Amino acid sequence: MESEIKNTVFSKNVVEFVVVALQYCEYLEVFEEKDASITTDQFTKLLPLLYLKASLLPETESLDEEDIEITVTEDIYNNIFSRLFALYGKDDAYLEVFLQDMKYSDTPIGASISEDLTDIYQDLKNFLTVYERGITENMNDALYICTENFKEYWGQKLVNVLRALHALKYKPYTGDDDADSELYSENEDELW
């Protein structure tokens, strides 16, 4: 049984996922709040790769009933969130279209680029912290939780925020911030 678990947690697909998750988390921990276009470009490259690697993770089962350690504190979360929010500012909000409540709503439901990116970070960082310790059973359980959260929660957030980042990255640029905002508002229905 231990050999089987070891083969799973050290499999090629898991190791590749760990590498991409680590790149994502490290980027969020050190990015500069100066240039949204560079950060957006980085996310539009990392997020599809992260989704691909997460979708290739092997199925596993939890071995222990105890929850894994949560290492992303509220302070860490808020720090990353506020830096992202400062970076994206007025472009942080986007319309959410994949919520179940949306079909019953007469008003648009908003989402936040900074919140979605930070939520993804939180799950990945909690997984990585346990995985890096190298205790096979704990690694397995962290992998199980991360995979389940991907299926139920952050996978959908990832594709939603990627849509918003794609719109930001490729929106028409006129060179005038006020005109860009106006053009962006006029084309908002087309973008969303």
Side-chain angles (χ1 to χ4, degrees):
M1 174 95 168
E2 172 135 358
S3 173
E4 185 179 319
I5 294 167
K6 204 172 226 176
N7 288 340
T8 300
V9 298
F10 291 111
S11 68
K12 178 181 183 258
N13 287 339
V14 173
V15 170
E16 288 177 355
F17 171 74
V18 167
V19 169
V20 176
L22 191 58
Q23 288 175 333
Y24 179 84
C25 290
E26 286 177 345
Y27 187 78
L28 274 170
E29 292 164 354
V30 300
F31 77 94
E32 297 289 325
E33 297 99 13
K34 295 176 184 167
D35 193 343
S37 64
I38 292 172
T39 302
T40 300
D41 182 61
Q42 186 68 26
F43 284 132
T44 58
K45 292 173 182 165
L46 272 174
L47 290 171
L49 189 54
L50 184 60
Y51 187 91
L52 173 66
K53 295 304 179 183
S55 69
L56 295 173
L57 289 171
E59 292 293 325
T60 186
E61 293 182 21
S62 181
L63 301 173
D64 195 355
E65 295 298 316
E66 291 183 33
D67 291 334
I68 64 165
E69 181 183 357
I70 304 298
T71 56
V72 177
T73 64
E74 191 173 339
D75 287 341
I76 294 169
Y77 183 97
N78 288 336
N79 178 282
I80 291 173
F81 171 81
S82 62
R83 288 174 50 228
L84 284 167
F85 187 78
L87 178 73
Y88 285 107
K90 66 178 177 42
D91 293 325
D92 187 65
Y94 69 95
L95 296 179
E96 176 58 77
V97 295
F98 288 107
L99 289 176
Q100 287 298 322
D101 297 340
M102 186 64 188
K103 59 184 165 188
Y104 305 113
S105 176
D106 291 337
T107 59
I109 298 174
S112 163
I113 291 173
S114 53
E115 182 178 351
D116 288 350
L117 292 173
T118 309
D119 285 350
I120 296 165
Y121 168 85
Q122 184 175 29
D123 258 3
L124 294 177
K125 188 64 173 185
N126 286 333
F127 161 73
L128 289 170
T129 302
V130 173
Y131 190 89
E132 289 172 342
R133 292 186 184 140
I135 302 170
T136 307
E137 293 78 17
N138 294 351
M139 294 165 73
N140 177 78
D141 289 355
L143 178 62
Y144 171 78
I145 291 167
C146 189
T147 303
E148 291 303 305
N149 286 348
F150 168 73
K151 293 175 188 174
E152 297 173 20
Y153 182 65
W154 66 265
Q156 187 64 57
K157 281 192 173 269
L158 186 153
V159 294
N160 292 350
V161 76
L162 181 59
R163 181 177 47 84
L165 290 168
H166 175 84
L168 278 178
K169 182 175 179 176
Y170 295 107
K171 75 177 180 181
Y173 178 72
T174 64
D176 178 13
D177 285 342
D178 291 335
D180 284 341
S181 295
E182 190 175 305
L183 178 64
Y184 186 67
S185 296
E186 290 172 6
N187 293 330
E188 192 171 79
D189 291 335
E190 294 173 24
L191 293 173
W192 308 116

